[in-house]
Amino acid sequence: MTSEAARRVQSGSPWEESFGFARAVAAGDRVLVGGTTSFKGTVLYGEGDPYEQTRVAFGNALEALKELGLGIESVIRTRMYLSHVRDVDEAGRAHKELFDSVRPVSTLLVVEGFVDPRILVEVELEAFRGA
């Protein structure tokens, strides 16, 4: 790990302020993007549509990477959390469209639910910014 100080990116999510976290943190060669949904401000995009929520959530996560000077090619791990097993195929389809050329390792979990019941999908990314 380099001696460079960790850099943090805030997205403006109300939960970042009330819970005290950053959307993304870059430290050394690693960049971690925490749980990201399809909310933009107070608007949930793709309500009722797991495919669209997955696309928008990963888009939001990739925006945080962009603020740190990285693109999709730097993504080495993804995680998808779904509230319903019925949504696996649609979330997977969106993931393939975004990451097929990159092929990060990936984990998909079905969880009991999210802080807002309209959320169907939450995602995380890890990226590598080394040589």
Side-chain angles (χ1 to χ4, degrees):
M1 196 175 248
T2 67
S3 61
E4 176 185 340
R7 290 182 54 205
R8 290 168 175 76
V9 171
Q10 302 295 140
S11 71
S13 162
W15 293 303
E16 290 172 6
E17 186 60 32
S18 63
F19 293 176
F21 70 91
R23 169 66 54 224
V25 175
D29 289 337
R30 295 182 67 199
V31 178
L32 307 174
V33 181
T36 304
T37 66
S38 63
F39 268 100
K40 290 182 181 264
T42 60
V43 177
L44 177 69
Y45 286 78
E47 186 169 345
D49 184 344
Y51 169 81
E52 187 62 18
Q53 283 196 22
T54 303
R55 287 189 51 82
V56 173
F58 274 124
N60 290 342
L62 289 167
E63 285 177 24
L65 280 185
K66 187 176 180 180
E67 285 193 44
L68 294 164
L70 299 175
I72 197 167
E73 69 285 345
S74 66
V75 175
I76 59 171
R77 172 185 284 274
T78 62
R79 292 183 187 92
M80 294 179 283
Y81 302 91
L82 309 177
S83 58
H84 301 283
V85 71
R86 68 172 185 243
D87 297 336
V88 167
D89 290 340
E90 288 300 292
R93 180 169 68 98
H95 187 279
K96 181 176 176 63
E97 288 176 8
L98 290 165
F99 296 103
D100 195 33
S101 66
V102 180
R103 297 285 174 124
V105 297
S106 186
T107 301
L108 186 146
L109 301 164
V110 177
V111 299
E112 187 171 326
F114 300 105
V115 67
D116 183 317
R118 298 173 299 159
I119 298 171
L120 303 174
V121 180
E122 186 167 327
V123 303
E124 296 178 348
L125 296 177
E126 291 186 34
F128 181 72
R129 63 180 185 166

